[in-house]
Amino acid sequence: MCGIFCCISAWKEDNHYCLENEVLCTVLRNRGPDAENILKTSDGIFAGFVLWHQGAEICFQPIVLNNIILLFNGDIFKINSKDLNNESDSNWLSTQLGNCQSDKHLINFFKKLEGPFSIIMYNKGSKDLYFARDSMGRNSLIVEKNEEHLCILSVSSLSNKKAIELPPLGIFKLNIEDSDNWTLFPWVGLDDEQNGYIRVMEETFNINIECQDIIESPWLHNQAFAKEFSFNFYDMVKNLDMPVQELFNILLKNDEVVSALDMFSALLNESVKSRVQTTTEYCRDCINHREFCNHSKVAILYSGGIDCSVLAVLADKYIDKSDSIDLINVAFEAISSSEQTWDVPDRLSARSSYEELKLLCPLRKWNFIEVNVTRKELLDKLSTHLKHLIYPLNTVLDESIGSAFWFAAQGKGYVDQRAWTSTARVIIVGSGADELFGGYMRHRKAYTQCQGDDKAKQLNVHKEMERDWKRIFSRNLARDDRVISDTGRTPRSPFIEEHVVQFVRSLKSSQRCCFLLPDDNGSKLFLRLYAQHLGLRFSTFLRKRAIQFGSKIANKNQKATDISTYIK
């Protein structure tokens, strides 16, 4: 993961201003500790802080090629190895963009680009500035604007500028000599909610945004899968009265269910493979001396739940057996208890799932890292550092989840009661599973509280899941990218891969979850069946817990929507 920064000043002689902010330099540098460069031009400042994953050598940024200045934060996974020729994906991208002679060429290129990214590109000849997040908004990009400066950057610091997380609506374009008029090339045709994001940007920054040619990447259309499945979990279970384990066994004998699981498995395996293998051969400790080692290059944020357990089993298939894999579990000191204990719900479930994982993958060396955080540590970091990473989001929920992910991603804890720090440079997270498979309580309520018949209830669940998916970028992804990347490690989310998402969203909600089953076993039912298919048993039937409750970071006296006292 990289930290990228661009600042265009209303007065060219003032282009030094923004990077004099020590906090801003720190949070950008934390994202990219391997290399940095600051390019000052008459038109603006461009700075890149690089975390090296791809290519035989580190690729410094910004990349300057003819008239193009490129800043790229992300991973392009599906590039032919012959085309790369040991280059980084950033170098490859700069060459491709340099060959685009018009906006039409640019659109056609981005239509085929796969992977999580945010990008800033400046054309010195035309003075056009382009910037975007990928269509699912997996990587952070923030826009700040006042009368003196327009800044586009991966992560910010609390400032007097108006700031917004750039919505991943498409590729934005502006000419720096007319910076109040922007063009948007949308990923897809915009609906009312997406148009609402545009209105917010226009009102916040006092700009005008005009939409032009739609990009329309093929994976954004769920209808692309030729096979349409007809199974319905509600119809399959409503007359069956038996223990849930037996019920799962019956569902796994249905040919259509098995066929759907096989298609999903192939896509998810490919996603996991690319995300655990696309990195350097060196761990965090050995990279400076380029020493080959068997230390962990990959870690998994591990609560013991179904999402991370599935990803752990699959990661084991694609990481060299001589390398260890870190499983990181975080616990917070209780607010009210007089006795300090780290046996929070996520710690207990993770230990049980870990024992099962060792039986399923006995040849792997797993490092189960227990991260314990006191209230004093939490409040100190929130008041001095974490508030800048969570910004411009500002609720108690953002504060809790952001802090939990940051402390977990630090990877500093204990393995078998020995002090331990993760050596991983990639962190695998289960983000997106709840939105895709129906894992939230509001999905259950959409079914149980609907007054219509069974068909209407299922449709109501589908609508709620669609709403959640469409806002995942603004609720979760950019914030989580900022807090995890601040640790000098790259977060990767195998569930949020173009073709995995396309396939899962082509299924009806009644083929992903079923709220007739007891004890929450119907939430994420499709994924639970897949977990059982992989051989997992404990985590398959584990009730879902949000990280803020499972890790005990949440303060029950606060509402999730309250404004954080640290982020104002």
Side-chain angles (χ1 to χ4, degrees):
M1 197 56 63
C2 301
I4 58 177
F5 171 90
C6 165
C7 180
I8 307 298
S9 175
W11 297 278
K12 294 183 179 179
E13 64 274 11
D14 193 33
N15 268 332
H16 69 282
Y17 171 78
C18 292
L19 280 180
E20 288 185 348
N21 182 326
E22 184 178 342
V23 171
L24 179 57
C25 282
T26 297
V27 294
L28 285 167
R29 187 174 290 117
N30 286 351
R31 294 176 63 91
D34 295 332
E36 65 180 76
N37 187 36
I38 299 173
L39 175 66
K40 297 182 179 180
T41 75
S42 59
D43 294 331
I45 297 178
F46 304 85
F49 302 81
V50 177
L51 180 63
W52 174 35
H53 284 299
Q54 297 198 41
E57 297 294 335
I58 297 175
C59 174
F60 282 75
Q61 295 196 46
I63 299 171
V64 181
L65 186 64
N66 299 323
N67 272 337
I68 299 298
I69 299 174
L70 175 66
L71 289 164
F72 176 71
N73 167 37
D75 290 293
I76 307 301
F77 289 117
K78 295 185 178 179
I79 308 173
N80 189 303
S81 58
K82 292 181 181 178
D83 294 337
L84 271 180
N85 194 27
N86 285 327
E87 276 192 315
S88 72
D89 53 346
S90 302
N91 265 328
W92 174 85
L93 183 63
S94 67
T95 302
Q96 304 304 310
L97 293 174
N99 292 333
C100 294
Q101 300 301 311
S102 66
D103 287 342
K104 184 176 181 180
H105 291 152
L106 194 72
I107 288 169
N108 287 334
F109 172 72
F110 273 98
K111 185 178 294 189
K112 297 172 284 188
L113 201 63
E114 296 184 28
F117 65 83
S118 54
I119 188 170
I120 302 169
M121 184 180 76
Y122 181 61
N123 187 314
K124 293 183 289 184
S126 65
K127 297 191 181 297
D128 289 326
L129 183 68
Y130 300 83
F131 47 101
R133 292 166 67 191
D134 72 77
S135 60
M136 289 184 276
R138 288 165 284 190
N139 288 2
S140 173
L141 200 61
I142 294 172
V143 179
E144 296 182 341
K145 190 175 186 293
N146 59 18
E147 292 182 359
E148 292 82 26
H149 300 93
L150 167 67
C151 295
I152 304 166
L153 59 175
S154 301
V155 59
S156 184
S157 60
L158 291 166
S159 70
N160 61 352
K161 300 184 189 71
K162 295 178 179 177
I164 288 179
E165 288 182 347
L166 183 73
L169 303 178
I171 302 170
F172 289 87
K173 173 189 175 183
L174 63 89
N175 190 284
I176 67 167
E177 295 182 343
D178 184 20
S179 61
D180 291 336
N181 290 294
W182 298 14
T183 299
L184 171 64
F185 303 105
W187 296 120
V188 293
L190 302 181
D191 59 23
D192 289 344
E193 187 172 357
Q194 291 165 323
N195 279 311
Y197 288 116
I198 290 178
R199 287 193 295 273
V200 168
M201 292 183 70
E202 289 180 324
E203 292 167 7
T204 302
F205 296 140
N206 194 25
I207 58 174
N208 177 65
I209 300 176
E210 178 187 351
C211 292
Q212 293 189 5
D213 304 327
I214 298 173
I215 298 172
E216 286 193 299
S217 298
W219 54 81
L220 294 173
H221 298 283
N222 302 332
Q223 295 80 11
F225 282 91
K227 185 172 179 60
E228 184 172 330
F229 297 100
S230 60
F231 70 89
N232 182 306
F233 285 138
Y234 291 89
D235 294 338
M236 296 170 74
V237 308
K238 63 184 176 183
N239 295 319
L240 296 177
D241 183 14
M242 61 184 66
V244 70
Q245 292 91 337
E246 293 180 27
L247 181 60
F248 273 40
N249 289 334
I250 289 176
L251 294 176
L252 284 169
K253 292 177 181 176
N254 180 282
D255 289 342
E256 271 208 316
V257 171
V258 171
S259 178
L261 288 171
D262 286 344
M263 290 182 69
F264 170 70
S265 181
L267 295 169
L268 185 61
N269 269 265
E270 186 61 33
S271 177
V272 170
K273 179 181 178 181
S274 62
R275 280 154 178 78
V276 300
Q277 291 186 348
T278 308
T279 187
T280 63
E281 301 170 288
Y282 317 104
C283 80
R284 186 184 178 112
D285 290 350
C286 301
I287 190 167
N288 288 338
H289 303 293
R290 306 289 177 94
E291 294 176 353
F292 292 102
C293 65
N294 300 127
H295 304 142
S296 301
K297 286 85 175 177
V298 174
I300 301 169
L301 295 193
Y302 193 73
S303 66
I306 184 174
D307 312 336
C308 60
S309 296
V310 164
L311 295 178
V313 172
L314 297 185
D316 176 66
K317 295 170 62 175
Y318 299 111
I319 295 175
D320 191 302
K321 291 298 182 187
S322 63
D323 283 3
S324 58
I325 299 176
D326 292 343
L327 305 173
I328 306 177
N329 179 268
V330 65
F332 290 84
E333 183 181 30
I335 294 174
S336 56
S337 175
S338 58
E339 184 179 330
Q340 189 181 72
T341 175
W342 305 112
D343 287 340
V344 301
D346 274 2
R347 178 65 49 80
L348 298 176
S349 62
R351 285 175 183 159
S352 297
S353 294
Y354 174 48
E355 292 303 317
E356 182 175 61
L357 184 62
K358 287 191 290 185
L359 294 175
L360 281 175
C361 310
L363 301 180
R364 174 70 58 190
K365 182 181 186 297
W366 301 97
N367 298 319
F368 182 66
I369 305 175
E370 300 184 356
V371 177
N372 303 325
V373 186
T374 66
R375 286 286 148 181
K376 183 179 186 306
E377 287 178 279
L378 171 60
L379 299 181
D380 284 350
K381 287 298 181 182
L382 260 174
S383 61
T384 60
H385 186 67
L386 290 173
K387 63 182 182 179
H388 299 294
L389 307 177
I390 297 165
Y391 175 80
L393 302 188
N394 63 357
T395 69
V396 166
L397 181 65
D398 294 313
E399 171 193 301
S400 296
I401 298 177
S403 299
F405 274 134
W406 187 85
F407 278 102
Q410 287 287 324
K412 294 181 180 179
Y414 298 89
V415 172
D416 297 328
Q417 299 184 328
R418 290 177 295 147
W420 199 279
T421 300
S422 173
T423 59
R425 303 178 76 248
V426 170
I427 290 190
I428 299 297
V429 294
S431 302
D434 289 321
E435 288 81 2
L436 287 170
F437 294 102
Y440 289 121
M441 180 57 70
R442 56 183 170 270
H443 299 148
R444 172 180 286 277
K445 288 181 177 179
Y447 182 83
T448 59
Q449 296 181 2
C450 179
Q451 300 302 310
D453 60 15
D454 214 44
K455 186 176 180 180
K457 290 181 178 182
Q458 293 172 32
L459 180 60
N460 201 39
V461 172
H462 180 81
K463 289 178 179 177
E464 188 64 37
M465 290 171 68
E466 281 296 292
R467 276 194 292 269
D468 267 340
W469 177 254
K470 288 181 178 179
R471 61 189 181 183
I472 186 175
F473 70 87
S474 61
R475 289 170 60 91
N476 299 10
L477 297 183
R479 176 201 64 216
D480 297 348
D481 169 75
R482 291 193 295 275
V483 296
I484 294 175
S485 297
D486 183 71
T487 67
R489 312 179 202 271
T490 294
R492 289 177 176 167
S493 309
F495 289 115
I496 313 180
E497 187 271 347
E498 286 81 356
H499 302 283
V500 172
V501 169
Q502 182 188 30
F503 172 73
V504 175
R505 292 186 67 215
S506 74
L507 299 174
K508 300 178 181 68
S509 66
S510 58
Q511 297 169 331
R512 295 185 250 173
C513 53
C514 174
F515 297 111
L516 295 179
L517 275 68
D519 299 327
D520 202 38
N521 286 302
S523 69
K524 298 193 282 192
L525 178 56
F526 186 91
L527 189 60
R528 292 179 188 275
L529 291 172
Y530 181 63
Q532 178 149 323
H533 173 72
L534 291 177
L536 292 164
R537 293 296 179 268
F538 178 80
S539 59
T540 295
F541 302 105
L542 192 65
R543 180 183 289 271
K544 173 197 160 44
R545 280 188 302 266
I547 188 172
Q548 64 270 31
F549 302 120
S551 68
K552 289 295 184 181
I553 190 175
N555 183 342
K556 292 184 178 179
N557 294 323
Q558 294 178 310
K559 293 181 180 179
T561 53
D562 287 348
I563 301 301
S564 166
T565 57
Y566 298 95
I567 313 166
K568 292 183 177 179

